[in-house]
Structures are given as structure tokens and as C-alpha cells.
Amino acid sequence: MADFSWTARSPLEHALVAGTHGARGVEAGVSLTEIRNFDLIQVMARRGQGAELGKAAKARFGVAVPDAPKAVQTSDATLIWSGPDQFFVLSKGGKHAMLTLAPALSGSLSDQSHARALISISGAKARTMLAKLSSIDLHSDAFPVGAAAATSMDHTSVTLWRGGDRPDGQAVFNLLVFATFAESLWHTMLDSAAEYGVATGHSEEF
């Protein structure tokens, strides 16, 4: 029998060309960065056990899990609301991977690490670009740091949340999208950001 080996690849391997695109002669107004090598676990409470899952998760992470559309930062993970009695655990380094979380949490767990692409969006024109693709009000008053939404962008389902601001004060938006739709959405965002100038790349950090 033939031996098979699997190599994990980015869903944006062919679409992402690092560099500056779109408008020339101006500082890029939008930055699109794919974040790679992360662990993403979706945790869902079993029927009627939302409170029990919340207690177990607080014991594990040291903070209350989000019970509304928001993202909560811990010392080594981000907990992102994804629906009633369910949330994502985003981390790296394997500390909160499937094998470590399963014994600690009482809900149903699903490893989504290779099923989603993670993209960070920032820059002076980030909100303007996102407004072309989403109906969510991303003004700071309506969508502050930590706000999250399970929504759609250009008819593609995404989980969107606002991370901590950049050192220059610019807002940072993060989105998770199913890997099978990542390339299409990436090109759509490139097209939408082109008039402002867009810098693209990838990173191991988030």
C-alpha cells in the first residue's frame, strides 16, 4: 500500500502576492495580512449545558467567555463569540489545541485550524474599504475594540472582530473565513482597496 503524507498549505498560497498594489505614489491606505500557523477550536455547548460550559471555560481561561458578539483577550488566546452558547478559541503554539481543550471543556469541540483563513485588515482606509463589502457600522462608537460579529462580506460568511489598535492608532479588524472561500474574498478585498493603495503580506503573529 502506498504511503501518503499531508502538508498543510495556506488557502491563500496562490492568491497572496506580497507587496503594494493598486494606487501608486501614495502611502497604502489598507493593509491586508494573512495570519498563518494558528490553532482554532470551535466550542459549542450541548443542549441545556451552556452554564456548565461557561464555568468550565472560565476555569480554563481565567475569564468569562463571551455571551454576546465580542472577542475577549486572555494571556495566550482570543475567545470569539460565534453564536449563542458557542465561541472560538484562537491561539498558537498548540497550548489550546484540540487535544488540550477536549478534557477540560464539556461541550462539543471542532478543530477549525485548517478550515478557516485568518486575515488582519488595517490602515487609514480600512473602514472605507470594508464599508463596500459589509453593512455593519464599523465606526469606533458602534464597533469598539473587542466588538465582534458573525456576518457576511460580499455574500461570504465571516466572523469579524476588532482587535487592539496599531501603535499609530489605526484600527485593526480581523476576520475568519472558510478556506474554500478565502481566495475569492481576498481578490474582492484587493479590488475594493485598490483605489487607496493596498499593502499585502503574511505573518506568523496575531
Side-chain angles (χ1 to χ4, degrees):
M1 177 179 286
D3 292 330
F4 293 94
S5 61
W6 301 92
T7 301
R9 295 182 177 180
S10 160
L12 297 176
E13 180 180 13
H14 301 296
L16 196 162
V17 178
T20 304
H21 310 274
R24 302 292 182 181
V26 297
E27 182 178 355
V30 178
S31 177
L32 298 177
T33 304
E34 182 200 8
I35 310 300
R36 297 180 177 176
N37 296 331
F38 58 87
D39 298 309
L40 182 70
I41 307 299
Q42 185 164 32
V43 184
M44 295 171 284
R46 296 188 177 94
R47 182 177 297 178
Q49 296 184 5
E52 287 78 3
L53 174 60
K55 291 178 183 177
K58 186 172 184 179
R60 173 73 186 198
F61 299 107
V63 298
V65 298
D67 57 0
K70 60 183 179 180
V72 177
Q73 190 67 46
T74 76
S75 61
D76 52 12
T78 305
L79 311 182
I80 310 154
W81 181 91
S82 60
D85 293 330
Q86 58 182 283
F87 59 95
F88 288 113
V89 179
L90 174 65
S91 63
K92 60 182 177 180
K95 183 168 184 178
H96 296 300
M98 189 75 167
L99 290 178
T100 66
L101 285 185
L105 300 182
S106 58
S108 299
L109 279 66
S110 173
D111 192 338
Q112 297 290 307
S113 303
H114 301 296
R116 311 283 178 122
L118 174 58
I119 301 170
S120 176
I121 306 160
S122 61
K125 294 294 185 179
R127 284 189 181 87
T128 307
M129 183 275 287
L130 289 169
K132 297 180 180 182
L133 306 175
S134 172
S135 60
I136 291 180
D137 183 355
L138 297 177
H139 189 278
S140 292
D141 292 341
F143 205 80
V145 172
T151 184
S152 64
M153 291 178 58
D154 194 42
H155 308 291
T156 302
S157 295
V158 302
T159 299
L160 177 71
W161 74 98
R162 185 173 165 191
D165 292 347
R166 297 192 323 194
D168 63 2
Q170 295 292 344
V172 177
F173 301 93
N174 303 293
L175 70 84
L176 288 165
V177 57
F178 283 107
T180 49
F181 299 108
E183 187 169 325
S184 174
L185 184 58
W186 180 265
H187 285 301
T188 297
M189 290 193 293
L190 279 179
D191 290 343
S192 298
E195 66 176 298
Y196 315 117
V198 53
T200 61
H202 62 82
S203 174
E204 307 295 320
E205 301 297 324
F206 57 85

